[in-house]
């Protein structure tokens, strides 16, 4: 993956003001991704995210991250 995508991944943080009701909408992939992001706060790479969370490719990672942003659970610094 390119450095640009990994920089974006490293800019993500969990929004402490997110609505807890949105957390009910999380499936397995979103839960694993969110947990991975909370435990790996720096030097994140999409390749490592894909491997650790057993996701099916870069496109799926982008989709999950966008859904978490749309739900207000993640935000970019």
């Amino acid at each position: 993956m390119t450095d640009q995508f990994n920089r974006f991944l490293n800019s993500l943080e969990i929004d402490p003001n997110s609505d807890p009701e949105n957390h009910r909408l999380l499936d397995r992939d979103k839960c694993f991704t969110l947990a991975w992001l909370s435990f790996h706060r720096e030097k994140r790479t999409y390749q490592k995210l894909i491997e650790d969370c057993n996701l099916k490719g870069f496109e799926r990672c982008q989709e999950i991250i966008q859904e978490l942003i749309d739900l207000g659970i993640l935000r970019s610094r």
Side-chain angles (χ1 to χ4, degrees):
M1 304 304 138
T2 67
D3 287 338
Q4 177 185 6
F5 289 119
N6 289 330
R7 276 193 302 274
F8 173 71
L9 190 62
N10 281 297
S11 74
L12 295 173
E13 60 185 21
I14 297 172
D15 186 348
N17 300 316
S18 67
D19 183 359
E21 287 297 315
N22 290 339
H23 298 195
R24 294 178 188 210
L25 304 173
L26 300 180
D27 59 18
R28 177 211 174 274
D29 288 347
K30 289 185 195 88
C31 284
F32 276 47
T33 300
L34 190 58
W36 187 88
L37 289 168
S38 69
F39 286 109
H40 298 90
R41 295 178 187 238
E42 52 188 44
K43 297 183 182 179
R44 298 173 179 156
T45 66
Y46 277 97
Q47 188 61 39
K48 191 71 174 145
L49 174 60
I50 291 167
E51 291 170 7
D52 289 351
C53 294
N54 197 25
L55 301 176
K56 293 179 173 67
F58 176 71
E59 291 79 20
R60 181 66 181 137
C61 286
Q62 286 185 306
E63 182 180 299
I64 291 168
I65 289 170
Q66 187 58 53
E67 290 172 5
L68 290 168
I69 291 169
D70 292 345
L71 288 170
I73 297 171
L74 285 181
R75 65 181 180 193
S76 183
R77 290 182 241 150

